[in-house]
């Protein structure tokens, strides 16, 4: 059955399933406005997810055809996936931060085989073994979820109120999980009079029991040396200072005390960087570092796709240490190895 939760003050959430994913579902928020309901995120582009979204909106006393707009926290397919179908059914606008809109545009224009070639080269440079690279080399171009996402038609401008008639929803740019991730601060008194400053729709930036994935931003055409973990840590501190009364995340469940969760995540990443420095007493490739890092299960039990994600996360932590001057690449090493300074 469709699960709808009323959070009060004209805000409800729908649990829209993510197929074959341990996260289970995306919390899609329905925000009442003077021009009709606005969605914050939409869920994965899948028939069951679409049916669940439609049933949930009916349970809320509205329908897909009445949606006024879609605000997307970030471009990942479990958030942006159904935006295009919602727009087709309702004529709704779709808003996203320009940095993630650029990712969507690039994804729509890139051919799948180019992506496979890029990932193969990237993982080879990180020291991945041939048994991990072989499936990518053999991959046949095919349609993958998220490869044809809807192109947004409005920009979310950091610091500005979104055009939601009758509501005060301010965009907070929180890069890290993606380059254009945004949180959305509902600057209205909490309906249950909880102490704090309104409510925060946090997307994947701040979750009650999960540490969001922070990996390197993938752009085959851009050689800019990014620091997504540094971006994320800075964004965390910015959100902590907002002091919202309640956080409404895109996964798991709402929670109070954003500042405490921010402190826990900052502590987690500082410990991870410290552990990584200890590993770098000897030169290691990013793949070797990922093999030795602590995950939620032993490395030999981590599935194929998750190993690729783990290497990206290891590289993001490495990038942070290099930027801080605490680690460096070993000159002439191939694949590249890193060592503590």
């Amino acid at each position: 059955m469709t699960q709808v939760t009323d959070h009060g003050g004209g805000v409800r959430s729908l649990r829209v399933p993510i197929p074959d994913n341990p996260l289970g579902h995306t919390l899609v928020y329905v925000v009442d406005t003077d021009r009709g309901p606005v969605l914050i995120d939409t869920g994965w582009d899948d028939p069951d997810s679409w049916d669940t979204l439609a049933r949930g909106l009916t349970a809320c006393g509205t329908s897909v055809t009445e949606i006024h707009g879609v605000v997307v926290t970030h471009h990942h397919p479990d958030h942006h996936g159904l935006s295009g179908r919602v727009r087709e059914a309702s004529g709704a606008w779709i808003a996203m931060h320009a940095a993630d809109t650029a990712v969507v545009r690039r994804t729509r224009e890139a051919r799948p085989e180019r992506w496979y070639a890029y990932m193969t080269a990237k993982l080879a440079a990180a020291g991945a073994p041939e048994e991990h690279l072989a499936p990518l080399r053999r991959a046949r171009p095919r349609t993958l979820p998220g490869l044809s996402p809807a192109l947004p038609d409005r920009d979310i401008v950091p610091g500005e109120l979104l055009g939601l008639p009758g509501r005060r929803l301010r965009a907070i740019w929180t890069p890290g999980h993606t380059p254009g991730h945004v949180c959305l601060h509902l600057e209205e008194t909490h309906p249950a009079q909880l102490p704090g400053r309104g409510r925060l729709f946090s997307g994947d930036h701040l979750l009650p029991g999960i540490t969001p994935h922070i990996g390197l931003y993938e752009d085959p055409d851009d050689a800019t040396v990014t620091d997504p973990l540094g971006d994320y840590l800075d964004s965390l501190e910015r959100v902590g200072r907002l002091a919202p009364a309640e956080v409404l995340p895109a996964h798991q469940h709402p929670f109070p005390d954003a500042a405490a969760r921010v402190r826990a995540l900052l502590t987690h990443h500082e410990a991870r960087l410290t552990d990584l420095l200890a590993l770098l007493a000897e030169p290691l490739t990013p793949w070797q570092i990922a093999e030795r890092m602590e995950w939620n299960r032993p490395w030999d039990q981590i599935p194929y796709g998750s190993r690729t994600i783990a290497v990206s996360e290891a590289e993001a932590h490495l990038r942070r240490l290099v930027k801080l001057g605490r680690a460096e690449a070993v000159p002439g090493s191939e694949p590249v190895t890193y060592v503590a300074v």
Side-chain angles (χ1 to χ4, degrees):
M1 292 182 62
T2 300
Q3 297 191 40
V4 178
T5 301
D6 189 343
H7 300 277
V11 176
R12 286 152 292 186
S13 64
L14 315 176
R15 296 162 66 100
V16 177
I18 310 172
D20 303 317
N21 190 296
L23 279 175
H25 62 268
T26 301
L27 290 172
V28 172
Y29 291 93
V30 185
V31 180
D32 293 338
T33 80
D34 292 345
R35 291 283 301 278
V38 167
L39 300 182
I40 296 179
D41 293 334
T42 57
W44 192 276
D45 186 4
D46 176 81
D48 288 342
S49 304
W50 173 255
D51 290 345
T52 300
L53 178 65
R55 286 196 305 269
L57 290 170
T58 299
C60 290
T62 185
S63 70
V64 174
T65 60
E66 295 179 17
I67 298 302
H68 173 57
V70 176
V71 183
V72 184
T73 61
H74 61 295
H75 72 83
H76 287 163
D78 55 324
H79 297 259
H80 181 42
L82 287 171
S83 300
R85 289 196 65 177
V86 171
R87 182 166 59 189
E88 289 171 9
S90 64
W93 46 262
I94 301 173
M96 183 183 285
H97 187 283
D100 270 19
T101 296
V103 177
V104 170
R105 184 174 288 107
R106 186 169 68 242
T107 301
R108 290 168 59 90
E109 294 171 354
R111 298 169 65 165
E113 55 266 33
R114 183 158 184 259
W115 177 252
Y116 288 125
Y118 168 71
M119 287 304 299
T120 302
K122 187 174 183 300
L123 285 163
E130 181 56 35
E131 59 263 28
H132 191 84
L133 300 174
L136 287 170
R137 298 190 202 280
R138 295 194 302 267
R140 297 288 182 268
R142 59 192 177 95
T143 300
L144 296 173
L147 282 184
S148 298
L151 195 63
D153 43 68
R154 291 191 183 184
D155 283 343
I156 295 176
V157 181
E160 291 192 3
L161 289 171
L162 279 76
L164 274 58
R167 308 306 298 246
R168 288 188 59 84
L169 189 68
R170 192 176 302 277
I172 312 297
W173 185 32
T174 50
H177 185 59
T178 71
H181 191 290
V182 293
C183 292
L184 302 153
H185 190 199
L186 191 59
E187 299 176 340
E188 302 169 8
T189 303
H190 192 284
Q193 305 297 315
L194 296 182
R197 300 178 55 223
R199 291 180 280 182
L200 185 75
F201 298 101
S202 66
D204 280 1
H205 183 69
L206 201 59
L207 302 170
I210 300 172
T211 304
H213 166 67
I214 309 296
L216 295 187
Y217 304 141
E218 311 291 0
D219 183 353
D221 298 319
D222 190 348
T224 302
V225 179
T226 60
D227 179 19
L229 181 56
D231 292 341
Y232 179 67
L233 298 177
D234 290 344
S235 300
L236 275 179
E237 294 184 346
R238 197 158 57 246
V239 163
R241 290 193 293 270
L242 286 176
E246 187 177 29
V247 179
L248 302 175
H251 303 288
Q252 299 189 299
H253 54 82
F255 61 99
D257 203 351
R261 183 61 182 143
V262 165
R263 288 193 298 271
L265 287 166
L266 290 171
T267 299
H268 164 81
H269 283 290
E270 186 56 43
R272 209 154 174 74
L273 289 169
T274 300
D275 291 345
L276 187 51
L277 270 179
L279 291 175
L280 291 175
E282 60 174 315
L284 296 172
T285 67
W287 183 275
Q288 291 170 329
I289 291 165
E291 286 180 315
R292 291 161 172 77
M293 287 174 71
E294 194 170 312
W295 305 102
N296 61 358
R297 67 189 85 177
W299 182 257
D300 60 5
Q301 295 178 23
I302 295 177
Y304 176 88
S306 297
R307 290 189 180 191
T308 297
I309 293 171
V311 172
S312 180
E313 191 157 321
E315 288 182 304
H317 282 75
L318 267 175
R319 185 73 58 82
R320 184 68 186 147
L321 289 175
V322 170
K323 186 167 184 178
L324 292 171
R326 298 162 72 183
E328 64 183 10
V330 176
S333 56
E334 188 178 342
V336 64
T337 58
Y338 292 84
V339 68
V341 176

